Amino acid sequence: MTTRTRLHWTNFSFVVFAHLAAAFAIVYLCVFTFSFWTIGFGVLWGTLCGLSITGGYHRLFSHGAYEASWPLRLFYLLFGAASVQNSALSWAADHRVHHAHTDREPDPYSVQHGFWWAHIGWVLCKPKNIGDRKRKSLVRDLEADPLIRFQHRFYVPLALLFGAGAPAAIGTAWGDPLGAMLVAGFLRLVVQWHATFSVNSFAHLVGSKPYEKSSSARDSLLVALMTMGEGYHNFHHRFQADYRNGVRWYHFDPTKWWVWSASRLGLARKLRRVPKDRIRAALAATKLESQNAPRRPDHAPL
Ligand SMILES: [Zn+2]
Ligand SMILES: [Zn+2]
């Protein structure tokens, strides 16, 4: 048995439990108590948790694409914990390894091991690791932030509190604490997981490669729709530090609009943008590479 196929029992058990709870949430809504308040609250909680992963864990903590004030960082860390995708420190360490070694060892969610490995297999198993000391060295900058250290230390209680406890407590306001916990807690969690995971699976398999051809990362509108803009993954792999993933004004990237709005409110600053001429140069180079690539003869077997 290779390292890659050893099951991570804690993760496996919780993922199964959460999927069962999410299925029960649907039954609860359809059979027991249907409430627009509960559904609306689930959508709101999902949006806050989603932005904490895309705008917080990903673009801010992993890539330093902008700077955020402490209230915004705290918001990301609390709702990031509710997203049950590990602490910001661990998430960023895995993600930095993914960018530094895309498609090869030790990329923790390399699509070269197949769709299911990139999507959820790496969560359920124990992927090959670069070693604790090396992982720590990758996120030393983040460890300097006391809020990040606090979230890392108390990750499990914070995940329970903001992932299930707070939704139940808020649900008492309209008399449906169980529904609020099931829908905004577990159904939201499972939907959000698969949306995030689709960046590692679908956005490395389906879509176009306008900015670089050397990695499997692709631009996919479908994934962008599911992930608040994270689907423009080819651009992101080419220009990781840009706070935008959908770089054109019409690209569906609510996370960039959120970060831009936060900057207008004084909560974020130093938004990093790649100069237009570098983006144009990348587009031209990729186009030229495509034109010069050897064409497959018409009679070649598929
Ligand atoms: Zn990234
Ligand atoms: Zn990627």
Side-chain angles (χ1 to χ4, degrees):
M1 189 178 271
T2 66
T3 317
R4 191 168 292 114
T5 55
R6 268 177 45 219
L7 209 58
H8 189 303
W9 278 103
T10 312
N11 285 5
F12 177 79
S13 309
F14 184 70
V15 166
V16 170
F17 170 75
H19 279 76
L20 291 173
F24 182 65
I26 296 170
V27 174
Y28 179 88
L29 277 176
C30 297
V31 179
F32 299 107
T33 309
F34 183 87
S35 162
F36 281 114
W37 279 100
T38 300
I39 293 173
F41 176 59
V43 171
L44 172 69
W45 211 251
T47 305
L48 298 177
C49 290
L51 286 169
S52 295
I53 294 297
T54 62
Y57 272 35
H58 187 214
R59 300 189 200 185
L60 175 65
F61 298 133
S62 299
H63 292 296
Y66 61 100
E67 290 179 6
S69 63
W70 75 262
L72 184 57
R73 296 202 312 280
L74 183 63
F75 161 76
Y76 286 151
L77 291 165
L78 297 179
F79 283 89
S83 306
V84 197
Q85 298 185 18
N86 233 328
S87 70
L89 209 56
S90 298
W91 200 103
D94 281 337
H95 195 68
R96 287 177 182 182
V97 175
H98 168 65
H99 275 279
H101 304 276
T102 309
D103 297 326
R104 56 184 200 274
E105 297 296 345
D107 178 355
Y109 27 86
S110 169
V111 82
Q112 301 307 318
H113 301 307
F115 172 89
W116 284 109
W117 174 263
H119 191 75
I120 200 170
W122 74 279
V123 176
L124 304 178
C125 300
K126 290 183 177 169
K128 278 185 182 167
N129 206 304
I130 55 166
D132 281 348
R133 195 185 283 185
K134 185 96 188 278
R135 262 172 75 89
K136 269 193 132 188
S137 72
L138 287 175
V139 286
R140 204 140 278 155
D141 56 317
L142 299 179
E143 274 190 319
D145 184 340
L147 287 176
I148 291 183
R149 289 202 306 274
F150 165 79
Q151 194 239 24
H152 186 69
R153 191 158 173 215
F154 298 103
Y155 165 67
V156 174
L158 286 172
L160 287 169
L161 187 63
F162 283 85
I170 294 168
T172 57
W174 59 95
D176 190 17
L178 178 61
M181 189 184 72
L182 286 169
V183 174
F186 291 99
L187 183 56
R188 177 274 311 167
L189 177 64
V190 168
V191 171
Q192 192 194 350
W193 271 347
H194 288 289
T196 303
F197 298 162
S198 70
V199 180
N200 302 330
S201 55
F202 284 108
H204 275 268
L205 283 169
V206 185
S208 58
K209 294 183 175 184
Y211 302 97
E212 68 164 28
K213 292 182 98 58
S214 55
S215 83
S216 60
R218 290 157 191 267
D219 278 7
S220 162
L221 174 62
L222 189 68
V223 177
L225 292 172
M226 293 191 293
T227 57
M228 301 197 198
E230 300 281 77
Y232 302 98
H233 207 51
N234 187 256
F235 176 84
H236 173 62
H237 266 259
R238 179 68 181 81
F239 300 111
Q240 299 165 32
D242 198 306
Y243 84 96
R244 307 158 300 179
N245 277 13
V247 71
R248 297 190 187 250
W249 67 267
Y250 54 84
H251 281 165
F252 182 80
D253 187 359
T255 302
K256 83 177 170 192
W257 301 325
W258 162 268
V259 172
W260 182 85
S261 304
S263 76
R264 307 308 287 178
L265 295 170
L267 293 167
R269 61 197 191 107
K270 294 190 180 174
L271 276 52
R272 293 169 72 180
R273 288 184 190 84
V274 177
K276 280 183 183 159
D277 55 334
R278 279 190 61 205
I279 297 173
R280 276 195 218 104
L283 280 170
T286 312
K287 204 169 175 186
L288 196 66
E289 205 181 322
S290 302
Q291 285 165 352
N292 292 339
R295 282 174 186 272
R296 177 195 286 272
D298 289 343
H299 58 272
L302 291 173

